[in-house]
Every structure is written in structure tokens, then in C-alpha cells.
Amino acid sequence: MAGSSLASRICWSKLIVASTLLCLLFGAQGSSATALTTYLQGNEKSCFYADVDGIGEKVGFYFSVQSGGSFDIDYTVQSPSEKVILEGTGERQGDYIFTANTVGEYSFCFENESSMTAKLIDFDIMVESEPRRSLPVQQGSIAEHTSSLEESIYKLNGMLSNLVRTQKYFHTRHHRNHSTVLSTESRIFWYSILESLAIAGIAFAQVWVLKSYFGRTGR
């Protein structure tokens, strides 16, 4: 009976430690993310903002142009002191992570320099504090169990991150291919209209020329 009671206590201790570990990793990590979509008209600029509450926090920034023109966009990332952290011209997509050295509001701006084409952009802004939480020191097999469980969860977190990136890649490819198909269909349609008008015009011109020629000959 004593051995059974001791085993039961150890089992419950492992469950409590595992639950605490999950809460620390996923509930108390203090991360925030924003997944958005914006539509920019020609010569339009749009900015979005994210607050950073502490120095050393990791800021993730991802974007991809889904449709419009050559699928390119200009972007700028600035710190609260208006210092340029990231910038690019004519970029199709980007995935960046940087460390915030200043507390405050960071700006993420997109600019569509094309005057003829509107562009659809998907982007994510994530602010996350990444240091690992230290758990209370346990004894014996419980400490070893929690340590291995912690490593397994971090590996799982990494695999999920890779899966999300792969989904974003295929999502972008789908939108770009769909946009290309729509553009090609539109071009074929208008080309067919112009071709039909040209054929009708040539036929009318031929009839007019023949009518004028035989009219003169008859005189």
C-alpha cells in the first residue's frame, strides 16, 4: 500500500509539473502577434504600428505581395526615434527578426510606387520575449522528466513554426498564381475583342474598296 501511494504521488507530481511547464511556455511567454492584409492603391502609402514594452524583446516582421503588378512593394521599418531598422525597394516578400533596443512604438510602412496597379499585401508583426522560464528545482526522476519534456515542447514549437512558414509560402504561391491566371484571362479577352474589331474593320474596308472600284468602272 505504501509503495502504491508513493507511486501515485510521483505520478501526480509529474502531471502538475508538466501542466506548469505548458503554462509557462504558452501562457506566460507574453507574446503578441498581428496577422493582417492591406490593399494599396497606386502611389499610396500605409503604415502600421506595434508597441514594444521592454528592451531586448524580439520583433518579427513578415510580408508577401499576393497580387498586383510584378508582386513588388517598398517597405520601411523604423524605431520610436525614427531610426530606419529595415528598408527595401521592389521586394516581393521578406521575413525578418530583430532585437528591439528602444521601448516604444515601432512603425512598419508599405508604399506602392506604381501609379497604375493596386497591390494586395499579407503581413505579420510579432513582438515576443524569448528567454526561457526557469522552473523550480525538482529531485530525482521528476527533474529529468521535466527537462526532457521542456526540450520536446521547444522542438515541437520549432516544428510548428516551420509548418506555419510553409503554409505562408504556399498561400503566397496560390494567390500569385491566381492573380496571374486572372491577368492572363483578361488579356486574352481584350485581345479577342480587338482581334474581332480588326477583322470587322478589315472586312468593311475591303467591301468599301471593292464598291468604290466597281462604281468607278461602271461609269
Side-chain angles (χ1 to χ4, degrees):
M1 295 293 293
S4 177
S5 177
L6 179 60
S8 177
R9 290 179 181 178
I10 293 176
C11 182
W12 277 106
S13 299
K14 289 182 179 180
L15 291 176
I16 293 173
V17 171
S19 301
T20 304
L21 180 61
L22 290 173
C23 291
L24 288 173
L25 288 177
F26 297 101
Q29 196 171 1
S31 63
S32 61
T34 304
L36 296 172
T37 299
T38 183
Y39 195 75
L40 294 182
Q41 299 293 337
N43 295 323
E44 183 181 359
K45 182 177 181 179
S46 182
C47 294
F48 302 85
Y49 303 90
D51 290 324
V52 174
D53 299 328
I55 296 177
E57 290 188 346
K58 300 296 182 180
V59 181
F61 176 51
Y62 167 85
F63 71 91
S64 62
V65 182
Q66 304 294 326
S67 64
S70 300
F71 307 102
D72 59 339
I73 200 71
D74 300 342
Y75 70 93
T76 305
V77 179
Q78 292 184 339
S79 66
S81 60
E82 297 186 354
K83 177 182 178 181
V84 177
I85 300 175
L86 298 170
E87 63 178 346
T89 303
E91 298 288 342
R92 292 190 168 191
Q93 64 184 49
D95 191 357
Y96 307 99
I97 297 177
F98 61 90
T99 302
N101 296 320
T102 307
V103 176
E105 191 176 62
Y106 285 73
S107 64
F108 304 81
C109 298
F110 298 100
E111 184 174 4
N112 182 13
E113 291 188 350
S114 174
S115 59
M116 302 295 295
T117 308
K119 298 181 180 180
L120 179 66
I121 306 170
D122 282 355
F123 65 97
D124 291 338
I125 300 174
M126 181 181 65
V127 180
E128 181 178 16
S129 180
E130 290 190 344
R132 294 193 179 188
R133 309 286 179 169
S134 58
L135 296 177
V137 179
Q138 304 293 331
Q139 295 181 354
S141 60
I142 298 180
E144 297 177 0
H145 176 76
T146 55
S147 177
S148 61
L149 180 60
E150 181 182 10
E151 293 299 327
S152 299
I153 292 177
Y154 272 101
K155 289 180 181 179
L156 180 61
N157 187 29
M159 294 172 64
L160 290 175
S161 298
N162 291 333
L163 180 60
V164 170
R165 292 175 185 272
T166 303
Q167 288 179 334
K168 289 180 179 179
Y169 170 77
F170 284 110
H171 179 71
T172 300
R173 288 291 300 272
H174 169 74
H175 275 275
R176 289 180 179 175
N177 292 337
H178 182 66
S179 178
T180 302
V181 169
L182 292 180
S183 177
T184 303
E185 288 180 351
S186 177
R187 292 178 182 179
I188 292 175
F189 172 77
W190 288 111
Y191 177 79
S192 301
I193 295 296
L194 293 175
E195 185 180 25
S196 299
L197 292 176
I199 293 174
I202 292 173
F204 176 80
Q206 288 176 342
V207 171
W208 181 80
V209 169
L210 291 174
K211 183 178 180 181
S212 300
Y213 175 75
F214 285 109
R216 292 178 182 178
T217 304
R219 293 177 184 178

